Amino acid sequence: MGFLFYIIYICLMNPLIQHIQKFISLSESEAKIVLSYFEQENFKKKQLLLEEGQISNKQYFILKGCIRFYINNSKGVEQTMQFGIENWWITDYLSFQYQTASHFNIQAIENIEVLSIDRKSFDELLDQVPKLERYFRLVIQKSFGASQVRIRYLFTMSAEERFHHMNNMFPEFIQRVPQYMIASYLDFSPEFMSKIRAGKV
Amino acid sequence: MGFLFYIIYICLMNPLIQHIQKFISLSESEAKIVLSYFEQENFKKKQLLLEEGQISNKQYFILKGCIRFYINNSKGVEQTMQFGIENWWITDYLSFQYQTASHFNIQAIENIEVLSIDRKSFDELLDQVPKLERYFRLVIQKSFGASQVRIRYLFTMSAEERFHHMNNMFPEFIQRVPQYMIASYLDFSPEFMSKIRAGKV
DNA sequence: TAAAAAACTTGAAGTACTTCAAGAAATGAA
DNA sequence: TTCATTTCTTGAAGTACTTCAAGTTTTTTA
């Protein structure tokens, strides 16, 4: 009985289960089923979780660490499309859903721990715990909203404003990630970022 | 009996039901329930479906016509974030979900017909037909994918390339919408668009 | 702890766009 | 069918960035 409580305890303490519980409620037995579909994976700094041209066969929930979603632009320069940290889901949803080649790369910026689920298991999980449809709808909805806000910033702010805005909103993040990645995320050159920071613009 | 068949027929012929059927299957009776939650609304060209500062209380499915999702930038210029045509869903999902003030405007570019559903009805509908959770998840997932692709284009292509790309992909659309809206969607000035079209860049 | 690699800085020169202003063309309204 | 409004065009001048190249600092590796 003590052992069982322990199992339940570790299930409910799991970051993924806690995240799900923010959106929908899950019983202990459902939590256990959910977790049984996931596998923990670790990646080293700079390792790729997905490479351009591959089919994104897995969806990841970040337990620990920071990753980025990037492309190689026409000049061969890496351009960061999105960052992900603890409690974020990350995948190329189009490639994952339609099993088509991805245009994006996903890379660990730090040593990371993620929970992963492949496409087939994901479908099975949703059939077995249909409640999760709502959870994933809400998660994607938030990501989509964030993506729209991002486009709004790109459209309405100058390079310098975008930098200061990000600096105010996520100061710890600016410390955590190389500057050139932030620069490309904000859509300007690393040199220009250097000048902004030095107040030389 | 003939009358009943007729009802079923008009339900299944409805563009929304047909759209839903592309993602999940729906019985005739479910189709009827779904439609009972929606209301048809018509808007005239230039009318606003949502105005910045308001809470987006409705979600729209476009039956006919073309709309745009735009912001007023810091210089008071309207900047198009997104277009919507037949069979697209449109709303500010963040404002709709969390009932917060929207930063966006939604406007009819042509005289339009939409199906609308308010937030409360939407929740009820999902409770009554839980299958739809998956439908909406997939719809939003596609929108999110499109949004990511859009950012990719903004990052990797020059103004001229973005124009030619859009011109190749959606030639009929370029005809349908004023040039200055396309220019702002592609993130350059209407004057520059004019020069691109004239081959004067 | 040294050497190598990665990340950041600086200034000078260049460019892809924007802004402005004025006119022409197309569309809509009476 | 005309007048008013909206949309599109053009050239000249300006600017917010980029690119390049070289040096400095920081981090990683052995």
Side-chain angles (χ1 to χ4, degrees), chain A residues 26-57:
Chain A
L26 224 51
S27 69
E28 292 88 345
S29 62
E30 284 167 334
K32 226 176 122 190
I33 294 171
V34 170
L35 287 180
S36 74
Y37 278 91
F38 286 88
E39 195 182 325
Q40 179 164 344
E41 294 187 52
N42 299 325
F43 293 89
K44 299 231 156 171
K45 189 172 175 171
K46 300 202 178 168
Q47 233 184 314
L48 288 172
L49 286 71
L50 172 68
E51 198 173 349
E52 195 180 337
Q54 290 177 345
I55 291 169
S56 174
N57 193 41

Side-chain angles (χ1 to χ4, degrees), chain A residues 82-119:
Chain A
Q82 215 177 111
F83 292 108
I85 55 169
E86 288 81 8
N87 288 335
W88 273 72
W89 281 96
I90 199 117
T91 189
D92 175 348
Y93 286 104
L94 284 186
S95 174
F96 184 76
Q97 181 67 34
Y98 299 103
Q99 296 285 292
T100 53
S102 176
H103 294 100
F104 304 100
N105 302 279
I106 300 180
Q107 187 190 42
I109 301 180
E110 306 165 345
N111 294 340
I112 61 169
E113 294 167 21
V114 297
L115 290 177
S116 75
I117 184 166
D118 65 32
R119 180 58 208 288

Side-chain angles (χ1 to χ4, degrees), chain A residues 97 133-134 137 141 147, chain B residues 97 133-134 137 141 147:
Chain A
Q97 181 67 34
E133 293 278 2
R134 173 170 297 187
R137 175 172 68 83
Q141 200 166 272
S147 175
Chain B
Q97 181 67 34
E133 294 279 3
R134 173 171 296 186
R137 174 172 69 83
Q141 200 167 273
S147 176

Side-chain angles (χ1 to χ4, degrees), chain A residues 169-187:
Chain A
M169 300 285 278
F170 312 101
E172 71 301 333
F173 197 77
I174 302 274
Q175 304 308 318
R176 192 166 170 181
V177 171
Q179 274 184 43
Y180 72 92
M181 289 184 191
I182 309 259
S184 79
Y185 178 74
L186 295 174
D187 200 21

Side-chain angles (χ1 to χ4, degrees), chain A:
Chain A
M1 193 64 174
F3 178 68
L4 187 59
F5 273 126
Y6 181 65
I7 294 279
I8 288 168
Y9 175 75
I10 55 167
C11 280
L12 292 180
M13 288 309 287
N14 179 285
L16 172 58
I17 299 304
Q18 294 200 336
H19 192 253
I20 294 174
Q21 304 261 24
K22 283 190 201 158
F23 295 89
I24 60 171
S25 61
L26 224 51
S27 69
E28 292 88 345
S29 62
E30 284 167 334
K32 226 176 122 190
I33 294 171
V34 170
L35 287 180
S36 74
Y37 278 91
F38 286 88
E39 195 182 325
Q40 179 164 344
E41 294 187 52
N42 299 325
F43 293 89
K44 299 231 156 171
K45 189 172 175 171
K46 300 202 178 168
Q47 233 184 314
L48 288 172
L49 286 71
L50 172 68
E51 198 173 349
E52 195 180 337
Q54 290 177 345
I55 291 169
S56 174
N57 193 41
K58 287 184 181 174
Q59 191 163 350
Y60 301 98
F61 180 81
I62 305 172
L63 293 173
K64 191 154 190 311
C66 184
I67 62 156
R68 66 170 176 150
F69 198 95
Y70 74 92
I71 46 175
N72 292 297
N73 76 14
S74 49
K75 287 164 196 147
V77 176
E78 292 172 358
Q79 209 139 2
T80 301
M81 299 275 302
Q82 215 177 111
F83 292 108
I85 55 169
E86 288 81 8
N87 288 335
W88 273 72
W89 281 96
I90 199 117
T91 189
D92 175 348
Y93 286 104
L94 284 186
S95 174
F96 184 76
Q97 181 67 34
Y98 299 103
Q99 296 285 292
T100 53
S102 176
H103 294 100
F104 304 100
N105 302 279
I106 300 180
Q107 187 190 42
I109 301 180
E110 306 165 345
N111 294 340
I112 61 169
E113 294 167 21
V114 297
L115 290 177
S116 75
I117 184 166
D118 65 32
R119 180 58 208 288
K120 189 160 157 283
S121 308
F122 184 69
D123 287 346
E124 285 170 20
L125 172 59
L126 287 173
D127 285 339
Q128 209 181 336
V129 189
K131 270 185 188 182
L132 289 176
E133 293 278 2
R134 173 170 297 187
Y135 167 68
F136 284 108
R137 175 172 68 83
L138 293 172
V139 163
I140 291 166
Q141 200 166 272
K142 262 189 124 168
S143 300
F144 179 51
S147 175
Q148 293 197 133
V149 167
R150 171 156 164 62
I151 295 178
R152 182 158 68 86
Y153 291 153
L154 287 173
F155 273 17
T156 57
M157 295 182 184
S158 69
E160 203 181 348
E161 287 168 337
R162 294 198 297 276
F163 170 73
H164 289 310
H165 181 263
M166 183 155 188
N167 210 10
N168 291 336
M169 300 285 278
F170 312 101
E172 71 301 333
F173 197 77
I174 302 274
Q175 304 308 318
R176 192 166 170 181
V177 171
Q179 274 184 43
Y180 72 92
M181 289 184 191
I182 309 259
S184 79
Y185 178 74
L186 295 174
D187 200 21
F188 47 73
S189 67
E191 292 93 340
F192 196 66
M193 172 123 174
S194 215
K195 283 160 196 175
I196 292 173
R197 283 168 46 101
K200 295 188 180 170
V201 295

